Amino acid sequence: MTNDKIALQLQPKEYKSAVKPVWCPGCGDFGVLGALTKALAGLKIQPEDAAVISGIGCSSRMPTYLSTYGFHGVHGRALAVATGLKVARPDLTVIATGGDGDGFSIGGNHFLHTCRRNPDLTYIVMDNQVYGMTKGQASPTTEPNWERAKLTPSGTGINPFQPLAIALASGANFIARCSSSDSNGTARVLMEAIRHPGFSMVQVLSPCVTFRPEQREWKRSLIPAPEDMQRTPDPAEAARLLMTDEGVYTGILYVGDRPVYQPKLKSEIDNIATLDEEFRL
Amino acid sequence: MTDTSKHPLRSIRSADELLAYSLALETEAVDRFNDLADQMEVHHNYEVADLFRKLAKIEGLHIDNVKQASAGKELPALMAWEFEWEGGESPEGGLMEEAHYLMQPWHAIELAMHGEQRAVEFFRHVAETAEDETVVKMALEMVEEEEEHVALLKKWQERFPKPEEGWDEDLDAPVLME
Amino acid sequence: MRFQSLSIALTGSGGSGVMTTGSLLLEAAGRAGWYGFMARSAGPQIRGGEAAAVLRIASEPIESHDDSFDLVLAIDPGSLARFLAEIPLRSDSLIISDAEGGRRGDSLPDTPARVIDLPMKGLAKTVQAGRPNMIALGALTKVIGLPLAPMLEILEKILKSKGADALESSWNCVQEGYEAGAELPVLDGPLVNTDISADRWSLTGNEAAGLGAVRGGIRFVAGYPITPATELLEWLAGTLPKVGGVLVQAEDELASVNQIIGASFGGTPALTATSGPGLALMTESIGLSVCSEVPVVIIDVMRCGPSTGIATKSEQSDLDIALHGLHGDAPHLVLAPTSVTDCLFTTQWSVHLAESLQTAAIVLSDQSLGQSKAIVERPADVSFMARRVVPETFAGEYQRYAISESGVSPMSIPGQAGGQYTADGLEHNQAGTPSSLPEDHYSQLEKRQRKIHAFEFGQHWADLEGSGETAVITWGATTGPVREALSRLRERGENVRLIAVRLLSPERPADMAAALAGVKRLLVVEQSHSRQFHRYLRSAYDLHPAVKVFNRPGPLPFRPNEIIEQLHNWGQAD
């Protein structure tokens, strides 16, 4: 379907749909939306050749706001939908988007196995350490002593999930952390993530101004990782960084070259009646 | 509000390059104000939405000015992240996070003023660091222009009282969506 | 020519190879011109447990077990006890066993049948690398009057991969057993050797379903291992790459169903296969398929439930969840094959319907169909192919969920410029934008219902046979014994109608009314403890005739004489 098509240079704006986001003003997800449109424009991917897949949550509304193909499914299953689509349609650029609850709690198993399987997908997790759409419960990445959730009024008492360390251990092929307030920097990372073969995991720290207004401070606390620590191909080095940086380093933190999961879809037989033979007595 | 876009990392070398930066800056501003207007409309804050729409229109006129100035020239084609803004974002680009659904016109103008102020500082830095005289001259003109904008905005803001503490209080709980 | 059949059970334990023996016997019989089928029953062990191959060989195509067994071959005497409930015996049934075949002190259970000893273990020792099950195969070949030539052909075909030595020792054993069989009684009523020129197939219900899926256009499958659906997935894993498709082993059933939704969203007809526990996990996302109108097919090879239940044995107790397991108002298709061969037709039709109607189709097969191997005529080619309405051009704003008369709206495929939309499990408007407005909810609910209820499904909704004022209504695998019971009654001059429902959802009130016209007594036959099918019929249809229910849970199959008895005793024993 994409043969003979001339890649037009479109403006980032042209990757936005006519639907206006329901996100709260000030939400970090606006920055990610902007960054994603810039990355798609930068890569000259035609809107009809990209599909953005999501589950449930504030950030999972992303596909509706884009002019690409989109799929807004059920809670936690974005990566499964994205994997099925990419395996069946390797010609498409497939991007999954979602939040920390969707990806690491209800969808945790798919996260592990998609890292492990390594299909050529880009996964953008807008991490705000809270469930926004259900009114501010603690998520897997919430700190244990956050006491403002009515569901866990004394804090969760549970250590937060370390998405990037787990992605690395599970086999993700490209790992990055961004800040939504740095929309241009995020765009640059996303462009590289989309271009990199295999499963690219991009955590974007994206403040929830409604339930975690203190996260507006992230734009000051997040700092680019030292140049010499970025883009390491060595998982051990990346692991040390991810386990010791307390989540404040942004940038491309691991670039691997594991083989990509993409079965060949090429018919070996001309006539389907050939299949009859194995049943014939 | 913090100022994360003080200076570009290096000096601007040519008039064309400065025009490209200027065009990017104004385009970002228009997009941002329109996005903010959309956000306010979705959240039924129509007064501020209209104000942002107006600001977008005004910035649009600036784009026209830059386009006129660059008529017939081929400006360098840079991707958004290839501009070397200090802090990564263009002076008027990083305004989104300061928005609030209950914000009042005073806030909106304050926000716009910060953007303009950063633009002033950006062009002033260009004027100070550029070697090319044409660039210096152009940059100083732009400083002047942006300063005018700041002054106009200041005047405009005076028409609205500064909101009192608690302006962002909402007695209703957030809505459960999904 | 009079219909004749012979029912044979082979039992063994500890890796005695009864399944292989049964398959060889069945296929050799097929090559000799007979029809037949073989069901499998097993204990809980992964290796070395008790196992039974349950065969019926017949002069005509068959779909049912008989009332009782003519012949049992117990490789070791202890293995029969476990399966006695599944192997009814008569006083003239024959048990061949080996007193030395098992553990010292093991003995056959008490049965009315005659017992003859055959020292299979001893005879196997006389052959280089000999095995008792191959001695048994030779003896059975002789006892049922099967020529040796087709047996050799089948041995060569099946054992080709094992090497020449294995083939030689097996063949030597078969000949040894054949000679020993000469001392055994020949079973009464030898079978008629029918025309062998026909194109005859040997396949299981799981393979038939797989073939139906591939013929129907399925090119993407995701699945998670689960008994008794695993073999269906395994067959597809081997076959799909040949036709340019692929099977992905998913991390769980939640992933399976969402992967197929993703592939289908991309334009590739997609399917998964599972059993009850997996179907339960998938239900949320089957609702997503319905709401987002992305076609998928889910085959449920049913087993005894609830919970993990009895994973290796058959039951028709997933009807409720297949019909009603989705939350919200989620009209979808539920179909069920009525025989091993029909697994092919029904699956292929289901793919066609799901694709045409852009919805989810659940196909309810079961263990007894899926894991039974049948010798049949080559199944007829069916012209149903995946047929999705895709827009060719985009004039103006494309509306993915446009309200149309049929309820089906053209579905664009990623890559088509101008067709971009976001498929959504949130209620949406015609463009696909999330909407909480009542008018959008009503109109989209109505559209999704209309496309399914208004569709003309035609004659395949049920198998209707016979005439008369009495009818038996059933579905799925129980159709086989019902059909045989009614055919026996017909031979005696008693006319009873058969209604075997293939399309369970949506209901077909007009078709059902026509099928029931003139019926005064209706016997419902189903394999579920809580009478799920009966409750479904009561809720979906007006049943004017007097109704009687003959139900029981799995795993014991229905036998034709039980159904005849139910009909004859109507009103007497109730």
Side-chain angles (χ1 to χ4, degrees):
Chain A
M1 247 165 235
T2 54
N3 294 344
D4 311 324
K5 210 182 300 193
I6 300 155
L8 297 169
Q9 175 72 67
L10 300 175
Q11 291 303 310
K13 260 199 295 211
E14 296 173 87
Y15 290 86
K16 284 189 187 169
S17 75
V19 182
K20 294 173 186 168
V22 293
W23 297 323
C24 306
C27 177
D29 295 352
F30 284 106
V32 183
L33 173 61
L36 184 51
T37 59
K38 285 173 188 168
L40 290 167
L43 291 166
K44 292 192 190 177
I45 294 166
Q46 302 305 292
E48 66 271 18
D49 294 332
V52 180
I53 314 296
S54 69
I56 292 296
C58 294
S59 49
S60 291
R61 292 290 180 110
M62 188 67 83
T64 306
Y65 308 139
L66 293 162
S67 67
T68 62
Y69 278 88
F71 193 98
H72 182 214
V74 298
H75 199 18
R77 316 289 163 229
L79 287 176
V81 174
T83 299
L85 177 60
K86 182 67 189 182
V87 170
R89 289 290 307 278
D91 56 309
L92 299 173
T93 298
V94 182
I95 296 162
T97 64
D100 36 306
D102 188 71
F104 308 142
S105 192
I106 190 168
N109 197 33
H110 309 305
F111 176 55
L112 298 183
H113 289 277
T114 312
C115 289
R116 183 173 77 87
R117 197 177 278 122
N118 201 29
D120 190 13
L121 301 174
T122 299
Y123 186 30
I124 308 168
V125 179
M126 282 150 266
D127 190 348
N128 57 10
Q129 306 174 348
V130 76
Y131 286 89
M133 283 235 165
T134 51
K135 283 209 310 186
Q137 293 79 21
S139 89
T141 51
T142 302
E143 54 276 30
N145 57 355
W146 187 63
E147 295 179 352
R148 300 232 318 271
K150 282 190 189 158
L151 202 56
T152 49
S154 323
T156 62
I158 303 172
N159 271 342
F161 187 86
Q162 303 291 331
L164 298 189
I166 289 163
L168 180 71
S170 308
N173 216 27
F174 178 100
I175 292 172
R177 186 186 287 123
C178 303
S179 163
S180 64
S181 61
D182 176 15
S183 187
N184 284 334
T186 303
R188 189 175 48 79
V189 169
L190 287 179
M191 204 163 124
E192 210 167 317
I194 293 167
R195 214 190 265 139
H196 192 75
F199 185 67
S200 301
M201 165 71 199
V202 183
Q203 178 192 28
V204 187
L205 291 160
S206 177
C208 174
V209 294
T210 295
F211 296 105
R212 314 267 343 229
E214 71 279 11
Q215 291 174 345
R216 288 184 193 266
E217 290 306 307
W218 273 349
K219 65 158 68 173
R220 272 175 285 273
S221 59
L222 294 170
I223 48 171
E227 276 302 320
D228 62 341
M229 292 171 97
Q230 293 208 28
R231 296 167 192 281
T232 175
D234 177 3
E237 219 172 274
R240 177 164 297 117
L241 175 78
L242 291 172
M243 295 305 289
T244 56
D245 77 344
E246 293 179 359
V248 302
Y249 277 160
T250 58
I252 295 167
L253 306 177
Y254 172 72
V255 179
D257 62 352
R258 293 178 54 228
V260 175
Y261 178 80
Q262 182 55 62
K264 285 195 175 60
L265 305 173
K266 197 170 173 300
S267 193
E268 296 161 13
I269 56 175
D270 299 330
N271 186 348
I272 203 160
T274 317
L275 299 179
D276 294 0
E277 285 313 313
E278 70 171 287
F279 299 112
R280 203 158 267 148
L281 268 176
Chain B
M1 250 174 251
T2 53
D3 205 344
T4 55
S5 54
K6 280 198 188 104
H7 307 293
L9 295 176
R10 58 169 179 75
S11 63
I12 301 280
R13 295 193 194 91
S14 70
D16 286 2
E17 199 179 356
L18 180 58
L19 283 170
Y21 269 78
S22 180
L23 186 61
L25 185 152
E26 303 292 359
T27 308
E28 280 264 8
V30 171
D31 290 351
R32 237 26 87 228
F33 286 129
N34 274 322
D35 285 346
L36 286 164
D38 286 348
Q39 291 178 23
M40 293 304 139
E41 268 168 23
V42 169
H43 291 78
H44 306 287
N45 187 345
Y46 298 114
E47 193 183 6
V48 177
D50 289 348
L51 203 153
F52 278 131
R53 206 66 80 191
K54 249 177 232 162
L55 286 165
K57 218 169 262 170
I58 294 167
E59 297 288 348
L61 299 175
H62 302 166
I63 294 187
D64 295 343
N65 293 345
V66 180
K67 279 189 176 159
Q68 264 173 23
S70 51
K73 295 180 179 170
E74 193 156 320
L75 302 185
L78 296 175
M79 294 312 300
W81 50 89
E82 288 169 329
F83 290 97
E84 297 186 10
W85 313 111
E86 173 82 25
E89 296 297 312
S90 81
E92 298 192 63
L95 305 173
M96 301 282 277
E97 295 153 46
E98 308 302 335
H100 190 286
Y101 70 105
L102 293 175
M103 72 196 301
Q104 298 178 13
W106 187 90
H107 296 113
I109 297 171
E110 181 78 1
L111 194 144
M113 254 180 341
H114 275 271
E116 300 289 354
Q117 193 58 48
R118 279 182 287 200
V120 169
E121 285 167 27
F122 168 73
F123 289 121
R124 189 170 287 147
H125 172 84
V126 173
E128 284 163 7
T129 56
E131 288 164 13
D132 184 312
E133 268 179 40
T134 331
V135 174
V136 174
K137 190 167 162 270
M138 271 173 67
L140 285 174
E141 280 170 20
M142 285 167 178
V143 168
E144 206 171 306
E145 199 175 309
E146 298 291 342
E147 274 175 340
E148 256 169 53
H149 299 166
V150 175
L152 280 171
L153 285 168
K154 191 108 206 144
K155 232 176 177 176
W156 195 358
Q157 195 185 33
E158 280 164 12
R159 305 213 312 247
F160 304 97
K162 186 177 177 187
E164 289 170 20
E165 274 302 296
W167 61 269
D168 57 351
E169 195 181 345
D170 183 343
L171 295 178
D172 285 352
V175 173
L176 286 156
M177 289 189 53
E178 281 161 14
Chain C
M1 187 172 68
R2 213 167 70 80
F3 170 75
Q4 289 180 308
S5 78
L6 198 60
S7 290
I8 307 164
L10 288 96
T11 69
S13 60
S16 56
V18 289
M19 295 302 178
T20 309
T21 313
S23 285
L24 288 164
L25 191 66
L26 181 73
E27 295 216 0
R31 216 166 254 233
W34 286 311
Y35 296 91
F37 81 72
M38 179 182 119
R40 297 167 12 179
S41 192
Q45 299 90 334
I46 289 175
R47 300 307 294 259
E50 302 91 347
V54 184
L55 284 81
R56 189 176 181 204
I57 289 165
S59 54
E60 287 166 33
I62 44 162
E63 297 170 2
S64 169
H65 291 290
D66 204 347
D67 304 333
S68 56
F69 283 78
D70 302 293
L71 175 61
V72 172
L73 194 141
I75 299 226
D76 61 287
S79 60
L80 179 57
R82 187 184 180 93
F83 300 106
L84 217 50
E86 296 170 48
I87 305 173
L89 294 168
R90 311 178 304 265
S91 60
D92 63 340
S93 306
L94 175 65
I95 297 175
I96 300 170
S97 187
D98 182 354
E100 303 298 318
R103 202 168 45 172
R104 194 176 304 274
D106 274 1
S107 59
L108 287 166
D110 269 348
T111 70
R114 297 177 289 162
V115 178
I116 291 186
D117 194 72
L118 178 70
M120 292 173 271
K121 202 171 178 179
L123 286 168
K125 281 185 182 152
T126 67
V127 177
Q128 172 91 22
R131 286 168 177 261
N133 67 322
M134 288 296 156
I135 301 287
L137 183 61
L140 286 173
T141 306
K142 180 70 188 170
V143 168
I144 70 169
L146 183 67
L148 269 179
M151 182 56 74
L152 178 59
E153 286 169 25
I154 289 296
L155 274 175
E156 281 172 344
K157 179 182 146 191
I158 304 284
L159 299 177
K160 194 165 59 185
S161 61
K162 305 255 184 213
D165 290 349
L167 177 61
E168 195 188 336
S169 76
S170 292
W171 179 233
N172 288 341
C173 280
V174 167
Q175 285 174 303
E176 193 70 30
Y178 194 81
E179 272 172 40
E183 307 294 319
L184 301 171
V186 172
L187 286 191
D188 288 338
L191 292 162
V192 184
N193 193 336
T194 53
D195 174 22
I196 55 169
S197 62
D199 185 0
R200 205 155 293 186
W201 283 23
S202 151
L203 83 173
T204 66
N206 277 341
E207 289 166 339
L211 185 60
V214 172
R215 280 190 182 177
I218 293 292
R219 291 297 178 271
F220 181 91
V221 174
Y224 187 75
I226 187 167
T227 304
T230 305
E231 292 126 334
L232 173 41
L233 295 169
E234 286 172 344
W235 187 84
L236 286 165
T239 304
L240 282 167
K242 294 181 191 162
V243 296
V246 64
L247 179 140
V248 179
Q249 181 180 332
E251 54 270 28
D252 54 31
E253 283 91 347
L254 307 167
S256 306
V257 68
N258 280 283
Q259 283 192 14
I260 65 171
I261 290 171
S264 179
F265 169 72
T268 305
L271 167 148
T272 185
T274 187
S275 191
L279 181 65
L281 283 173
M282 290 177 188
T283 51
E284 183 196 17
S285 296
I286 298 174
L288 170 63
S289 146
V290 170
C291 187
S292 63
E293 303 196 49
V294 175
V296 291
V297 178
I298 301 102
I299 302 180
D300 172 12
V301 188
M302 294 182 289
R303 62 195 216 183
C304 298
S307 189
T308 313
I310 309 175
T312 53
K313 300 198 176 180
S314 209
E315 197 168 77
Q316 294 180 319
S317 52
D318 290 349
L319 181 62
D320 274 351
I321 188 178
L323 289 168
H324 309 298
L326 311 187
H327 63 280
D329 290 315
H332 61 285
L333 303 162
V334 179
L335 297 99
T338 57
S339 69
V340 169
T341 322
D342 192 52
C343 288
L344 194 162
F345 174 85
T346 296
T347 307
Q348 190 171 343
W349 192 36
S350 301
V351 175
H352 168 78
L353 292 176
E355 287 285 325
S356 303
L357 299 174
Q358 297 176 19
T359 192
I362 300 175
V363 181
L364 293 174
S365 174
D366 68 24
Q367 184 274 337
S368 75
L369 295 172
Q371 294 193 323
S372 288
K373 181 180 257 196
I375 306 289
V376 296
E377 301 289 354
R378 178 183 185 279
D381 287 320
V382 189
S383 59
F384 296 128
M385 272 294 289
R387 202 178 52 200
R388 201 181 291 188
V389 183
V390 174
E392 280 167 21
T393 53
F394 298 92
E397 196 87 341
Y398 169 61
Q399 298 216 302
R400 164 65 186 102
Y401 301 108
I403 303 296
S404 63
E405 198 185 329
S406 69
V408 175
S409 343
M411 176 178 179
S412 64
I413 304 298
Q416 286 190 292
Q420 293 100 304
Y421 72 103
T422 292
D424 214 312
L426 279 175
E427 190 57 281
H428 38 259
N429 61 18
Q430 297 189 58
T433 310
S435 169
S436 54
L437 297 176
E439 58 266 33
D440 285 328
H441 188 42
Y442 298 163
S443 60
Q444 291 293 323
L445 281 172
E446 188 57 33
K447 155 195 178 4
R448 293 192 291 260
Q449 178 166 290
R450 181 167 68 241
K451 68 180 180 179
I452 288 176
H453 283 259
F455 187 76
E456 193 38 70
F457 290 91
Q459 55 169 349
H460 300 303
W461 76 280
D463 287 348
L464 304 175
E465 292 162 18
S467 58
E469 294 184 344
T470 301
V472 181
I473 188 163
T474 190
W475 70 286
T478 51
T479 304
V482 170
R483 195 174 252 147
E484 182 158 335
L486 302 198
S487 137
R488 287 186 200 172
L489 289 173
R490 211 168 296 128
E491 273 179 27
R492 298 188 214 161
E494 296 177 47
N495 280 328
V496 177
R497 292 189 211 183
L498 167 73
I499 305 171
V501 183
R502 182 177 288 106
L503 180 70
L504 293 149
S505 174
E507 60 267 30
R508 309 297 301 155
D511 289 330
M512 184 63 88
L516 287 173
V519 172
K520 294 194 172 137
R521 301 195 309 174
L522 182 66
L523 178 68
V524 180
V525 181
E526 61 168 313
Q527 197 178 29
S528 113
H529 188 249
S530 65
R531 303 181 168 197
Q532 295 184 13
F533 184 55
H534 174 238
R535 279 190 278 110
Y536 154 75
L537 290 172
R538 288 281 187 201
S539 66
Y541 297 111
D542 289 332
L543 298 183
H544 296 299
V547 173
K548 178 176 164 178
V549 184
F550 178 35
N551 71 300
R552 71 164 167 247
L556 294 182
F558 288 89
R559 299 191 184 277
N561 63 341
E562 295 179 297
I563 290 148
I564 292 173
E565 201 177 312
Q566 289 289 327
L567 289 168
H568 283 172
N569 293 347
W570 191 298
Q572 290 170 21
D574 290 350

